[in-house]
Amino acid sequence: MKRLGPLTALSNAFQVLFQNFGIALFLAVIVGGLGWTIGELVSQYMLGVYHPPPGQKAMVISQLSTGITQLVWHCTIGSWGAPAAIYLWVQREKGSKATLYEAVNYGLNRMGRVFFPHALAFFVIWLGAMVIVLAPLFGVQYAFVDAIATLDSKERDPRARSRQLTAGRRGTIFRTFAPFALWWGPMMIVGAFQIQNWGLPAIALAGVIDYLVLIVLDLAMVQLYLDLFRKPTAAESPA
């Protein structure tokens, strides 16, 4: 049988996103919008503490404090958001309607086992972003971490399993990521130098959009992961 391709995976992901947009928006507001807002407030606090003169030092303090705050938020609260997003695909496979209550609880019930693999993978990718070429490399290696940690309760090392399973599909995974360079590329420039001047509402909105992108990718990656086994997501342990 022909393997699932990027266009089909993304088409399915967007379809599920828009069918459950209220739930996805709630997740994006909590993980993305609130996380980015808190990061900006921490940045303003640090600038108030150190009072650096305008210039490179102020920019470094601001970006570093914002980046670290968002990292911590995504590693913790994101370990709830990832399985909550994957729940939307689980419900599609079951032919059942998703609800916000079930999405929240699905994420909370799996947060404990998702936390460490999700946080470690996110941290490595975040470090890789410091050297731009490394972020996509780590991203494709750990693309299945959230899906494995969420759906396979018996897997002890989702990161190692992800590296193993993505070995033959990294080209497909990279092509699935590629369209979103249209968002991440400008944000690496505008986000670093301009968006903080636009106020908290703009920062929160950017965080919401950014997490909606991550939800789409989680929905696409869970399809590519399960496609390796040809099993429905209702199976708790596809491996």
Side-chain angles (χ1 to χ4, degrees):
M1 296 176 65
K2 185 178 180 180
R3 288 297 188 190
L4 189 69
L7 291 180
T8 302
L10 287 174
S11 175
N12 292 339
F14 275 109
Q15 186 180 51
V16 171
L17 176 76
F18 289 123
Q19 286 174 345
N20 302 279
F21 192 73
I23 299 173
L25 184 61
F26 176 82
L27 300 179
V29 168
I30 299 300
V31 186
L34 188 56
W36 282 43
T37 300
I38 292 174
E40 174 60 16
L41 293 175
V42 170
S43 171
Q44 292 178 6
Y45 173 77
M46 296 301 291
L47 291 173
V49 169
Y50 289 102
H51 299 289
Q56 187 174 7
K57 185 176 181 180
M59 185 182 71
V60 169
I61 292 176
S62 175
Q63 294 303 312
L64 191 60
S65 56
T66 299
I68 291 176
T69 303
Q70 290 181 6
L71 172 66
V72 173
W73 187 265
H74 273 281
C75 286
T76 53
I77 307 303
S79 65
W80 160 76
I86 290 172
Y87 157 82
L88 301 178
W89 185 260
V90 171
Q91 293 304 97
R92 173 185 167 114
E93 291 288 337
K94 290 180 177 179
S96 302
K97 184 178 179 180
T99 68
L100 178 59
Y101 176 81
E102 288 184 357
V104 170
N105 281 284
Y106 190 93
L108 289 174
N109 290 337
R110 288 154 181 80
M111 187 176 178
R113 72 177 188 236
V114 171
F115 174 76
F116 284 108
H118 172 86
L120 289 172
F122 196 93
F123 177 65
V124 170
I125 295 169
W126 182 81
L127 285 179
M130 304 297 178
V131 182
I132 296 175
V133 70
L134 293 180
L137 176 64
F138 292 141
V140 296
Q141 290 182 5
Y142 294 133
F144 294 162
V145 166
D146 287 342
I148 295 170
T150 298
L151 299 175
D152 190 349
S153 59
K154 296 180 181 179
E155 178 56 58
R156 299 182 63 182
D157 191 348
R159 292 186 306 136
R161 183 65 168 155
S162 179
R163 288 194 300 268
Q164 178 189 26
L165 292 177
T166 60
R169 302 223 68 193
R170 289 176 186 170
T172 299
I173 294 168
F174 181 80
R175 290 192 296 274
T176 308
F177 286 168
F180 300 103
L182 297 173
W183 165 255
W184 287 320
M187 280 305 299
M188 291 183 67
I189 300 173
V190 176
F193 301 106
Q194 294 295 330
I195 199 170
Q196 288 179 316
N197 298 324
W198 298 346
L200 287 178
I203 291 170
L205 178 60
V208 169
I209 295 172
D210 189 68
Y211 200 72
L212 287 173
V213 168
L214 292 178
I215 289 175
V216 169
L217 286 175
D218 263 337
L219 291 172
M221 290 305 110
V222 71
Q223 295 174 64
L224 295 176
Y225 166 63
L226 290 168
D227 186 56
L228 296 173
F229 305 98
R230 301 297 186 187
K231 291 184 179 180
T233 53
E236 188 69 8
S237 181

